[in-house]
Amino acid sequence: CLNQEGHPTVNLQGICRYEIGLGKRGYEATHQYYGALNNPISLDGISSWQIQHNDYGNAIEVGPFYDVAGKIVPSPQGGYLVRQLWDDEGKLVEKSYLDQDRKLVNGPEGAAIERRSFHLGGNQRTFAGYDSQSRPTTMVDGYASLKTEADHFGRIVTTSYLNAEGKPTANIHGIASETVTWEASGYQQDQRFFDVDGHQVSSSES
């Protein structure tokens, strides 16, 4: 960043320069923030971090994260290191959070491991959280997993929330399931929300 006189300055986040180092395949490998004096600075406690990619350019390991003194610190997303698994279509199917000793620790969703699956077409089929022992766990939104059903166009028509035992439960908004109907043109027609007993609690129509 430069000021009107062409001298180094900082943006609203206090950053003058953001440097990205590239790995052997040309993918991002390191990130570093600098101030106006070309000094390492931090944003949200993070000054630099590392990234590893697979052959397709997907980030498979993010971290460790460092402060300006070079000390390893936790990521704002949770954990000191984030590992990610991708399917053959480039969709993120698993994310896990690790501490300084590379042991599983809870991330921002309240789970140490997050797993996803997808419908044909790319919409999310399932999302589930697991603790450090790979057991289903209740996440911050009040459920342990969700599952969806899609129509023959791949559009989501139902979403259901489940607890750690796999039984229907309500999320933090009191919603246990949702239904969506679609117009022939492809636009969403309405959306309805239900509690654990199947009673409609609200709806929205387009």
Side-chain angles (χ1 to χ4, degrees):
C1 296
L2 302 175
N3 60 21
Q4 292 180 335
E5 289 73 37
H7 299 302
T9 187
V10 296
N11 61 18
L12 294 177
Q13 296 175 309
I15 299 170
C16 175
R17 182 163 58 92
Y18 177 37
E19 185 175 280
I20 300 175
L22 302 180
K24 293 181 180 179
R25 299 188 184 95
Y27 302 129
E28 301 171 14
T30 59
H31 292 250
Q32 175 71 63
Y33 297 124
Y34 291 94
L37 300 178
N38 202 36
N39 56 307
I41 62 170
S42 65
L43 180 63
D44 295 327
I46 305 296
S47 179
S48 65
W49 67 96
Q50 303 172 0
I51 304 178
Q52 295 183 34
H53 296 81
N54 60 19
D55 292 338
Y56 303 100
N58 299 312
I60 57 174
E61 192 168 283
V62 183
F65 301 85
Y66 302 91
D67 63 13
V68 292
K71 178 183 177 182
I72 295 179
V73 293
S75 159
Q77 295 183 350
Y80 291 79
L81 186 70
V82 180
R83 286 181 176 161
Q84 303 181 138
L85 296 178
W86 305 78
D87 66 14
D88 293 338
E89 297 181 347
K91 298 184 184 66
L92 180 62
V93 295
E94 183 175 301
K95 180 184 286 190
S96 55
Y97 302 85
L98 296 91
D99 63 15
Q100 288 176 293
D101 299 319
R102 295 180 179 259
K103 295 181 180 179
L104 288 168
V105 63
N106 281 351
E109 299 289 344
I113 305 170
E114 302 165 6
R115 292 181 180 141
R116 294 173 171 82
S117 66
F118 299 87
H119 294 284
L120 291 176
N123 281 325
Q124 185 169 263
R125 179 191 296 272
T126 61
F127 172 60
Y130 301 85
D131 64 16
S132 60
Q133 304 299 315
S134 295
R135 298 171 301 197
T137 188
T138 301
M139 295 180 284
V140 295
D141 283 337
Y143 60 90
S145 64
L146 67 79
K147 64 178 181 179
T148 67
E149 296 179 0
D151 62 17
H152 60 283
F153 292 110
R155 300 173 301 199
I156 301 301
V157 293
T158 64
T159 301
S160 303
Y161 300 93
L162 307 172
N163 62 20
E165 286 73 44
K167 298 179 180 180
T169 192
N171 62 20
I172 58 174
H173 304 293
I175 297 169
S177 63
E178 309 169 20
T179 62
V180 178
T181 58
W182 301 86
E183 297 177 350
S185 59
Y187 291 100
Q188 181 176 309
Q189 186 173 23
D190 69 22
Q191 185 174 18
R192 300 177 187 274
F193 305 92
F194 303 86
D195 63 18
V196 175
D197 297 319
H199 300 135
Q200 184 173 323
V201 292
S202 64
S203 66
S204 61
E205 297 184 5
S206 58

